[in-house]
Amino acid sequence: MVEAFRNYLTAKASFTDAELAQLEAAAIPRKLKRHQFLVRSGEVCHYIAFVVCGSLRLYRTDEHAEEHILRFAIENWWITDAESFRTGLPAVGSIDALEDTQVLLWSKESWDRVKQEVLTFNALENQLAGRNLDAQVNRLYATISHTAEERYHAFVAAFPDFYRRMPLHLIASYLGVSRETLSRIRKHTGLY
Amino acid sequence: MVEAFRNYLTAKASFTDAELAQLEAAAIPRKLKRHQFLVRSGEVCHYIAFVVCGSLRLYRTDEHAEEHILRFAIENWWITDAESFRTGLPAVGSIDALEDTQVLLWSKESWDRVKQEVLTFNALENQLAGRNLDAQVNRLYATISHTAEERYHAFVAAFPDFYRRMPLHLIASYLGVSRETLSRIRKHTGLY
């Protein structure tokens, strides 16, 4: 499992063997069955996860029991409930596996320690955090300014891997549109 | 001007006099007239701004020339086009003053340097960046899951200062609803 993580890291920055070993030693490998939870709403999200294979989603459930997806993660992506992981307070969101999935997990304590001790990793993590914020701002902008159809096309263009793998109702939930609206858009544009 | 910034800092964490002096020495004070730009879309956003007094907005203009507000900032808030400031690429958004405004500015170089040299400030900045990400995620969730009326009430509750100071059309632009919809909501709920 750590092989995939090692390939990911060495493609992103120059790490010494000792640094790679240190990062890997702090990681906990875990397998999740499809529909199994990494964290449930109301529990503390103790881990940040790197996806080795499979896929997960972070979502929140509104008062009408409707699910809204905030993030997908497939191979080489990271996922956590950031607020709960950072503060140690119960998570508002839930994270579950969409397929049989393998992840590497770091506890908050391990995560803070490796960032402090492995400066190259700290720099990489800062860069990823910056890009993550940019992506959130861009998604918010798209949500308040674009039509459902424009958002769907942007999603397909930006995340072709997600588009191919995720069922329609999950993409609708991510885009904040009904399944019926998304079906109509897909029929209309001939994109299947 | 630095007095306000010093009060802000000392309320947030314990800084030595030397650290405060170092942070302040790196800052550039600037006055902006109402409607004056800190950065225009297409230019590089060279600075991050701390608001001493007055207010600003970060917004993007869509292809129908409609403006969408991504952030307001009043006294003791920070504002920048984060992606442009981080990458040095041209900004997608614009930042302008909503009132006569005073800010303190740090260039990317100064900002990185003070974060490296003043560890208490680095820790504070990490905490603010984490909270900023949480706020973006929460706003995105509200946008895809809540009605316009629910979003308006959440905005009034979370930012009473903004609500009192910002004209209706700017709040509508922030919430991603038309001015007419927001007028209707305000009449309906009797909140003026």
Side-chain angles (χ1 to χ4, degrees):
Chain A
M1 254 209 231
V2 296
E3 185 73 17
F5 182 58
R6 185 171 280 237
N7 292 340
Y8 167 86
L9 284 180
T10 50
K12 296 271 182 201
S14 291
F15 291 95
T16 66
D17 285 342
E19 286 172 337
L20 292 171
Q22 195 172 353
L23 288 164
E24 291 160 9
I28 305 160
R30 183 168 300 174
K31 292 180 182 183
L32 298 169
K33 287 274 171 209
R34 185 173 178 220
H35 298 317
Q36 198 179 334
F37 284 88
L38 186 63
V39 63
R40 277 170 208 267
S41 160
E43 298 171 353
V44 174
C45 183
H46 290 292
Y47 300 107
I48 182 164
F50 174 83
V51 186
V52 173
C53 64
S55 57
L56 306 99
R57 63 172 177 164
L58 166 69
Y59 69 97
R60 295 188 189 175
T61 309
D62 69 23
E63 68 272 32
H64 311 294
E66 203 174 325
E67 293 172 356
H68 302 278
I69 297 179
L70 294 170
R71 189 181 181 87
F72 289 121
I74 58 173
E75 293 79 20
N76 289 345
W77 281 64
W78 298 88
I79 195 161
T80 186
D81 183 297
E83 187 162 2
S84 175
F85 183 67
R86 188 175 66 77
T87 61
L89 296 171
V92 182
S94 298
I95 299 173
D96 64 0
L98 299 169
E99 308 166 278
D100 288 354
T101 295
Q102 297 186 18
V103 290
L104 292 172
L105 303 177
W106 288 260
S107 69
K108 183 70 164 68
E109 196 194 337
S110 298
W111 188 251
D112 288 343
R113 187 166 38 77
V114 291
K115 283 204 298 172
Q116 204 156 34
E117 291 175 359
V118 183
L119 294 184
T120 310
F121 186 67
N122 189 49
L124 175 61
E125 201 267 344
N126 282 340
Q127 198 185 61
L128 294 174
R131 282 199 207 149
N132 187 30
L133 177 64
D134 299 343
Q136 292 294 333
V137 172
N138 289 332
R139 186 171 163 200
L140 176 69
Y141 174 67
T143 305
I144 61 176
S145 71
H146 292 20
T147 63
E149 185 159 344
E150 288 165 341
R151 293 209 301 281
Y152 173 68
H153 289 301
F155 177 80
V156 173
F159 306 112
D161 294 341
F162 289 11
Y163 161 68
R164 274 189 288 271
R165 269 164 69 170
M166 303 300 168
L168 185 66
H169 71 281
L170 293 185
I171 296 178
S173 165
Y174 182 90
L175 294 174
V177 300
S178 72
R179 191 174 173 156
E180 294 68 36
T181 303
L182 191 54
S183 282
R184 195 158 25 79
I185 290 169
R186 301 226 305 191
K187 277 201 188 106
H188 179 239
T189 58
L191 247 176
Y192 276 91
Chain B
M1 250 209 234
V2 295
E3 185 72 16
F5 181 58
R6 185 171 278 237
N7 291 341
Y8 167 87
L9 285 180
T10 51
K12 296 271 180 200
S14 290
F15 292 95
T16 66
D17 285 343
E19 286 173 336
L20 291 171
Q22 196 174 350
L23 288 164
E24 290 160 9
I28 305 161
R30 182 169 299 173
K31 292 182 183 182
L32 297 168
K33 286 276 173 207
R34 186 176 177 217
H35 298 317
Q36 197 179 334
F37 284 87
L38 187 62
V39 62
R40 278 170 207 267
S41 161
E43 299 170 354
V44 174
C45 183
H46 291 292
Y47 300 107
I48 183 165
F50 174 83
V51 185
V52 173
C53 65
S55 57
L56 306 99
R57 63 172 176 164
L58 166 68
Y59 69 96
R60 295 189 189 176
T61 308
D62 69 22
E63 68 271 33
H64 311 295
E66 203 173 327
E67 293 172 356
H68 302 277
I69 296 178
L70 294 169
R71 188 182 182 85
F72 288 121
I74 59 173
E75 292 81 19
N76 290 344
W77 282 64
W78 299 87
I79 196 163
T80 186
D81 183 297
E83 186 161 4
S84 174
F85 183 66
R86 190 175 65 76
T87 61
L89 296 171
V92 181
S94 298
I95 299 173
D96 64 0
L98 299 169
E99 308 166 278
D100 289 353
T101 293
Q102 296 185 20
V103 290
L104 292 173
L105 304 176
W106 288 261
S107 69
K108 183 69 165 66
E109 196 194 337
S110 297
W111 188 251
D112 289 343
R113 186 165 39 78
V114 291
K115 283 204 298 172
Q116 206 157 33
E117 291 175 359
V118 183
L119 294 185
T120 310
F121 187 67
N122 189 47
L124 175 61
E125 201 268 344
N126 281 341
Q127 196 185 64
L128 295 174
R131 282 200 208 150
N132 187 30
L133 177 65
D134 300 342
Q136 292 294 333
V137 172
N138 289 332
R139 186 170 164 200
L140 176 70
Y141 173 68
T143 305
I144 61 177
S145 72
H146 291 20
T147 63
E149 185 158 342
E150 287 166 342
R151 295 209 299 282
Y152 173 69
H153 288 302
F155 177 80
V156 173
F159 306 112
D161 294 341
F162 289 12
Y163 161 69
R164 274 191 289 271
R165 269 164 70 171
M166 304 301 169
L168 185 67
H169 72 280
L170 294 185
I171 296 178
S173 164
Y174 181 91
L175 294 174
V177 299
S178 72
R179 190 174 173 156
E180 293 69 33
T181 302
L182 191 54
S183 282
R184 196 159 22 82
I185 291 169
R186 302 227 303 192
K187 277 201 190 104
H188 179 238
T189 57
L191 247 176
Y192 275 91

